[in-house]
Amino acid sequence: MTDIVLDGVVEEIIYSNDENGYTVCTINAMGEPVTLVGIMPFINEGETIRARGSWQVHATFGRQFHVDYFEKKLPTTSGTILKYLSSGAIKGIGPVTAERIVSRYGEESLEVIENNPEWLSDIRGITPKKALEISETYRMQFGMRTVMLYCNRFFGPSLSVKIFKRYGSGAIDIIENNPYVLCEDIEGISFEKADKIAMDLNFAYNCPERIMAGVIHFLQVAAYNNGHCYIPEDILLKNAASRLKVSPAEVGKIIGDLVFTDKLVKSEINGKIIVFLKEYFDAEKYIAAKLVSLSEVEFPVKLCGIDEQIDMLEETYDLGYAEEQKKAITLAVTNGVTIITGGPGTGKTTVIKAIIDIFDNLKLSFMLAAPTGRAAKRMSEASGHEAKTIHRLLEMGYGDSHEMRFMRDDSNPLPYKAIIIDEMSMVDTLLMYSLLKAVKSGTYLILIGDVDQLPPVGAGNCLSDIIKSGRFRVCTLNKIFRQAQESMIIVNAHSINDGIMPQLDTKNSDFFFIKRERAVDIRDLIIDLTSKRLPKTYGVDCIDDIQIITPTKKGDLGTFELNKALQRALNPQNGRKKEAKSGSVIFRENDKVMQIKNNYDLEWFTTADGGEKTDENTGRGIFNGDIGRILSINTQREVMVIDFDKRITEYDFALLDELEHAYAITVHKSQGSEYKIVIIPIYDHPVPLMTRNLIYTALTRAKEMVCLIGRAECLEVMVKNDRRPERYTALGEFLCSF
C-alpha cells in the first residue's frame, strides 16, 4: 500500500503519552478535520505537521489516519503562530502574552523569539530575563525537532523519543561522534543497528569505538544467551576478531584499554586467562565473600535443644520425620548457610514448615522468598506463611537520580533473622548479588532447590557452584514419601533423573504417553486434547489449567507455531474481540501471554472489584516469565489491560516486543511454575535440547497430570543424554579461595 501524505495545522491534542510519544490529535487538512493516531511526540496545538501513513477504520471511532512518520513545520501565518504560542508550547508564554507578541511582530514573531529575544522586553509583562528564558525554551524545542528528524532516518519514533530524552538537543553530535554509545545507553538499540549507522557515517571497521562496543556486545550476548559470567580470553579474541573482521591483536589492545578503564576485568583460573564484564566479576566475588562470612557466624539456636524441638513438632503434627529430613532441619537452624536440595516428592515443603515452626517457637523473625511470582505463591500456599518474590523482598523502587534500583542493600539491610529462598536453581548471579547485599551479618540463610533442574535463564549457576564448592553444609533429600510414590509423575521424574526410561503404559495414572510419529499429528493431537478432550473429561479450563511445554521456539512443534495454532483453537476472532499487532504477531483480547523481560517500571494494582487504587494494593514491576491474560485492548489509546495473576497493569503498545503468547512456552520459561495439566511434545528437537535435565524439568512442572505425545525413541535419547551445557562461572573457584 502506498503511503499517503497529509499536511495540516494541529487543532486539538485529544490524548498524549509522554513516555512513548503516542498521540491522538485532530488537524485541519485541506479544510477538513482529520483524526491522526500514532507516535508523534512533542507536538503542540497550532503547529503545522506533515504526516505520512494510511487510512484505517476504527470499530468505535470511525475513519482515522494512522501515522507511520511525521515531521513538524513551523507555523507561518499570524493566526497559526498565535494558536501555537497560546497553546502553552513555550514556557513563559500564555494566551495573553501570545496575543501581545503576535500583535507587535505578526508573522515575524518566531524569528524574533529565536534571534532577537531582547525585542520581547518591549512587550508588557516580559522582562529581559524572561525574554531570554523564552528564547532558550524555543531554541531547545527547535533542537528537539532537529533531533527527531535526524533520528527518524535510522529509527522509529519510539526510539527517537528515547534518544532525545537521553541526550537532549546534543543527540546528533553524540551520535555522529560515536554511534556505538547508542547500544550501551538506549534499550532497544542493538550493536548491529549501531554498527550499521556507523558504517553509514563512514566509520572504519577497525576504529577503537567499534571494537570496544563489539567486545562488550559479545560478552553481553554470552551472558544473556548462554549464561556465561566470563569468556576465556583466547576464545574472546578469536570470536570477536572473526565477527568484527579485525585482527586478534587489535581486539587484544582494546581489551587492555577496557580493563584499564575498569569496564572489563581480567583474571586467571587454573592457569587460563579469562575476561569478565566488571559487573559479573564484582558480583561473583561478592557472593563468595558474603556466603563465607555468613557461614562462619556462631548461632545461639545450637543451645536451644534442636532434638527436643523436632520431637515436639512430630508430636504436634502426628508425623515422623525421615532421618534425612531431621538432618536438614537441624542444619538449617544451627548453621549460617545451609543448602537443601532434592527432587519432587522428597519432602522439601515439610522441611520448610518445620524450620519456620522452630523459628516461630524461638521468636526469630523470618521471611520466605522465591525468584518468580508463581513460585512465591506456591511456597506461601504450601507453608501457610507469606512468601515474596526476591524483587519484592528487596523493594524495587526509584533512587535519588530516578533510576530503578533495590531499596534494600548493605546500607538498608533486610530486618529478618532468617531468610529462606526456594527454587534456588533459578537464581542468577546478579539477583543473588543483590539479595546478599541486603542480608545482614548474623542472618540464617537457607537455600532450597533442585540441582537437577535447568540452570537460571540469566548468567551464572549459583546453586550448583555453591554445592560443588564444598564450603557449606548441604543436605540432599532422596527418599520419595509414600504419598508421592502414588504419583507416576514423581516416580517417572526420578527414573528419568537416574537415566532410566519412565513407565509409559501405566493405566489409570497421572502420567500418559501417546505415541505419534509425525510432527503434524503431534500438533493436531495437542490442539484436540487442549481444546476438547481434556476440558470435557476432567472439567478443566482449556487456557488456565493446561500448559503446553516444549523444548524449542522454532519448528513445527516450537512455541511460535504452536501458539498460532492454539490461539486459533482456543481464542478465535469472533468479530468482537479487539486486537493489537506487533510484527507478525497478533494479540487478541482474552489471549494468554507471557512477559519475556524484566520491566521494573510497569505499574500494577490488585483491586479485582474496580475499587480505588491505594498504596496497599499497587506496586511496580512485571518480570520475565510472568503469565497473564489480556482483559481489554484500547486501539485508540494503544494500550491493553493485562491481568498478571491478579496484578492488573495497563500495557502500552510500545512494549509489545516484551510480550509473547503463552499457550505454549519453552521449558526454560516454565521454571519455578506449576500447572494443573502439562502437555509435552516429544520429537526430533535440535540436539542441544535433547537432554535429561530438560525433560526432567518439564515433567516436574505438572501438578495433577502430564501427557507426553510423540516418539518413544526420542524420549529415550533425552533420558540417556546427561550432557549439560558448560557455563563459564567463577563462583566455585572464588569460594574455594576464601
Side-chain angles (χ1 to χ4, degrees):
M1 184 185 299
T2 305
D3 281 349
I4 300 168
V5 177
L6 294 180
D7 292 318
V9 177
V10 179
E11 297 288 336
E12 181 184 5
I13 306 293
I14 299 170
Y15 171 80
S16 181
N17 186 319
D18 291 337
E19 289 300 312
N20 63 21
Y22 181 79
T23 303
V24 180
C25 68
T26 59
I27 67 169
N28 187 331
M30 298 175 292
E32 294 183 4
V34 175
T35 300
L36 270 57
V37 298
I39 297 180
M40 297 175 283
F42 312 118
I43 66 169
N44 298 281
E45 293 175 2
E47 291 183 315
T48 300
I49 65 171
R50 168 165 288 183
R52 182 180 291 116
S54 59
W55 291 104
Q56 296 183 3
V57 179
H58 190 278
T60 303
F61 302 102
R63 193 167 185 249
Q64 299 176 329
F65 191 79
H66 194 278
V67 178
D68 296 320
Y69 170 83
F70 88 104
E71 61 184 53
K72 294 185 182 183
K73 296 182 175 181
L74 292 177
T76 56
T77 67
S78 295
T80 56
I81 292 172
L82 176 61
K83 188 173 182 66
Y84 168 61
L85 294 178
S86 299
S87 70
I90 300 176
K91 185 181 178 183
I93 300 180
V96 174
T97 304
E99 180 77 41
R100 291 170 180 168
I101 293 172
V102 175
S103 293
R104 175 70 64 89
Y105 300 113
E107 295 178 358
E108 306 298 320
S109 296
L110 298 182
E111 174 73 18
V112 170
I113 292 173
E114 183 178 2
N115 297 314
N116 302 104
E118 65 276 7
W119 294 6
L120 294 176
S121 59
D122 294 339
I123 304 293
R124 182 158 56 92
I126 301 180
T127 64
K129 181 181 178 182
K130 185 176 179 181
L132 291 174
E133 289 174 351
I134 289 171
S135 183
E136 185 178 339
T137 300
Y138 178 78
R139 288 176 179 175
M140 186 195 75
Q141 290 196 356
F142 182 80
M144 176 269 297
R145 287 194 291 271
T146 305
V147 169
M148 294 297 294
L149 287 171
Y150 178 88
C151 289
N152 277 333
R153 295 164 52 195
F154 308 112
F155 313 105
S158 185
L159 283 176
S160 298
V161 172
K162 289 184 179 180
I163 291 168
F164 181 77
K165 286 186 174 183
R166 179 69 171 82
Y167 302 129
S169 57
I172 296 173
D173 288 339
I174 291 171
I175 293 171
E176 293 193 339
N177 184 57
N178 182 9
Y180 295 102
V181 300
L182 292 169
C183 57
E184 184 175 346
D185 294 342
I186 309 297
E187 187 176 356
I189 298 180
S190 63
F191 169 79
E192 288 79 11
K193 183 64 177 177
D195 199 37
K196 185 178 184 304
I197 295 170
M199 296 301 104
D200 289 345
L201 296 172
N202 296 316
F203 275 68
Y205 262 77
N206 64 345
C207 68
E209 296 88 351
R210 181 172 186 266
I211 300 175
M212 281 185 181
V215 168
I216 291 172
H217 167 71
F218 296 137
L219 286 164
Q220 289 173 335
V221 168
Y224 300 155
N225 295 349
N226 304 111
H228 299 316
C229 291
Y230 69 81
I231 296 179
E233 186 181 38
D234 57 342
I235 295 176
L236 180 59
L237 287 171
K238 179 182 176 181
N239 291 349
S242 175
R243 293 280 301 278
L244 296 171
K245 296 181 174 61
V246 298
S247 69
E250 290 173 301
V251 175
K253 180 183 182 304
I254 293 299
I255 289 174
D257 293 343
L258 289 167
V259 170
F260 181 77
T261 57
D262 216 26
K263 290 187 176 181
L264 302 183
V265 176
K266 273 191 182 184
S267 188
E268 184 178 332
I269 290 181
N270 299 324
K272 201 172 188 68
I273 303 299
I274 60 178
V275 182
F276 293 82
L277 288 169
K278 190 173 188 303
E279 63 177 333
Y280 288 104
F281 175 84
D282 290 346
E284 290 206 304
K285 269 286 189 183
Y286 183 91
I287 292 168
K290 187 63 174 282
L291 285 174
V292 171
S293 172
L294 288 171
S295 71
E296 293 176 342
V297 176
E298 291 290 327
F299 287 88
V301 173
K302 291 182 179 180
L303 308 175
C304 296
I306 184 61
D307 291 338
E308 289 80 359
Q309 291 279 341
I310 293 174
D311 290 343
M312 184 175 65
L313 290 175
E314 288 184 318
E315 184 176 345
T316 301
Y317 295 114
D318 190 23
L319 54 76
Y321 297 113
E323 287 304 313
E324 61 186 30
Q325 290 181 308
K326 291 181 181 181
K327 178 185 175 183
I329 298 165
T330 302
L331 290 176
V333 301
T334 57
N335 289 274
V337 176
T338 304
I339 297 91
I340 301 170
T341 184
T346 57
K348 295 193 296 293
T349 300
T350 301
V351 169
I352 292 173
K353 291 173 71 173
I355 293 167
I356 60 182
D357 278 343
I358 291 174
F359 286 146
D360 252 346
N361 294 338
L362 299 174
K363 307 298 187 218
L364 297 178
S365 60
F366 61 87
M367 179 51 67
L368 313 180
T372 68
R374 285 177 173 255
K377 184 180 180 182
R378 286 198 296 114
M379 194 182 189
S380 179
E381 291 170 349
S383 67
H385 290 263
E386 181 187 15
K388 299 180 178 180
T389 64
I390 297 175
H391 288 84
R392 185 166 163 240
L393 175 68
L394 299 178
E395 299 175 12
M396 176 63 71
Y398 286 100
D400 295 336
S401 56
H402 305 290
E403 85 288 0
M404 292 297 292
R405 68 175 184 87
F406 292 121
M407 298 294 117
R408 293 288 182 177
D409 55 18
D410 46 8
S411 64
N412 182 31
L414 294 165
Y416 310 107
K417 187 63 180 177
I419 296 172
I420 304 170
I421 307 295
D422 198 13
E423 295 288 354
M424 256 303 297
S425 64
M426 297 180 64
V427 179
D428 62 40
T429 295
L430 296 183
L431 186 57
M432 188 66 172
Y433 167 72
S434 297
L435 172 65
L436 290 179
K437 281 192 71 177
V439 176
K440 60 186 177 183
S441 180
T443 301
Y444 292 90
L445 184 65
I446 300 145
L447 308 177
I448 300 170
D450 185 349
V451 76
D452 294 311
Q453 299 277 351
L454 291 171
V457 174
N461 201 2
C462 290
L463 179 63
S464 180
D465 288 347
I466 291 168
I467 293 172
K468 288 178 181 177
S469 74
R471 290 297 304 265
F472 310 100
R473 305 303 297 271
V474 178
C475 183
T476 302
L477 303 176
N478 292 306
K479 181 182 177 181
I480 305 176
F481 288 88
R482 184 168 60 104
Q483 186 176 357
Q485 290 175 352
E486 298 172 1
S487 167
M488 291 306 298
I489 296 174
I490 292 174
V491 171
N492 282 332
H494 283 273
S495 294
I496 288 171
N497 203 33
D498 293 332
I500 301 169
M501 275 289 284
Q503 301 176 41
L504 303 182
D505 56 355
T506 308
K507 305 297 183 183
N508 301 317
S509 75
D510 54 4
F511 182 100
F512 298 91
F513 177 84
I514 304 175
K515 185 178 178 181
R516 292 289 187 274
E517 292 295 326
R518 300 189 306 160
V520 64
D521 295 331
I522 297 172
R523 182 202 64 200
D524 290 348
L525 182 55
I526 288 173
I527 294 169
D528 186 46
L529 286 171
T530 306
S531 62
K532 299 175 182 176
R533 290 165 60 176
L534 290 175
K536 182 179 179 180
T537 304
Y538 297 98
V540 295
D541 184 273
C542 61
I543 295 178
D544 288 336
D545 295 332
I546 304 172
Q547 184 61 60
I548 291 62
I549 300 178
T550 182
T552 181
K553 290 184 176 181
K554 300 178 181 179
D556 292 337
L557 296 173
T559 55
F560 296 144
E561 293 302 320
L562 284 175
N563 273 317
K564 289 179 187 176
L566 287 161
Q567 184 194 42
R568 288 193 297 269
L570 305 180
N571 188 33
Q573 178 56 271
N574 59 9
R576 298 188 301 273
K577 297 175 184 176
K578 295 179 181 177
E579 298 178 339
K581 191 173 182 181
S582 176
S584 62
V585 179
I586 295 174
F587 294 102
R588 186 174 297 145
E589 288 178 337
N590 202 42
D591 267 344
K592 185 178 184 179
V593 292
M594 173 181 281
Q595 179 77 10
I596 59 171
K597 64 182 294 186
N598 290 336
N599 189 321
Y600 302 109
D601 291 325
L602 277 172
E603 296 182 351
W604 51 260
F605 72 101
T606 58
T607 303
D609 58 2
E612 294 292 324
K613 297 179 185 179
T614 67
D615 290 343
E616 287 73 33
N617 66 15
T618 59
R620 286 182 179 270
I622 302 295
F623 303 111
N624 188 359
D626 286 349
I627 289 180
R629 293 280 289 274
I630 299 176
L631 301 180
S632 64
I633 295 176
N634 187 323
T635 53
Q636 178 78 358
R637 293 176 54 215
E638 294 205 344
V639 296
M640 60 176 66
V641 178
I642 305 178
D643 180 353
F644 286 100
D645 200 19
K646 308 302 183 188
R647 291 169 299 157
I648 313 299
T649 185
E650 192 171 83
Y651 208 94
D652 199 282
F653 281 14
L655 301 174
L656 289 182
D657 60 347
E658 298 182 7
L659 279 184
E660 289 181 353
H661 283 118
Y663 301 103
I665 62 176
T666 63
V667 181
H668 287 83
K669 291 294 187 183
S670 73
Q671 289 176 265
S673 297
E674 269 190 349
Y675 311 95
K676 187 173 287 188
I677 298 175
V678 168
I679 300 175
I680 308 168
I682 305 296
Y683 197 63
D684 291 313
H685 301 298
V687 173
L689 300 174
M690 299 288 282
T691 63
R692 183 187 301 172
N693 68 334
L694 190 136
I695 187 63
Y696 171 78
T697 301
L699 192 65
T700 54
R701 300 307 91 202
K703 187 163 55 176
E704 296 182 10
M705 182 188 300
V706 68
C707 183
L708 278 61
I709 305 173
R711 302 175 63 185
E713 58 268 31
C714 295
L715 178 61
E716 187 173 7
V717 169
M718 299 181 80
V719 172
K720 290 182 177 181
N721 182 10
D722 197 28
R723 185 188 61 83
R724 305 190 183 203
E726 182 183 7
R727 289 197 169 193
Y728 293 129
T729 64
L731 178 58
E733 283 75 10
F734 290 160
L735 282 167
C736 293
S737 69
F738 284 97

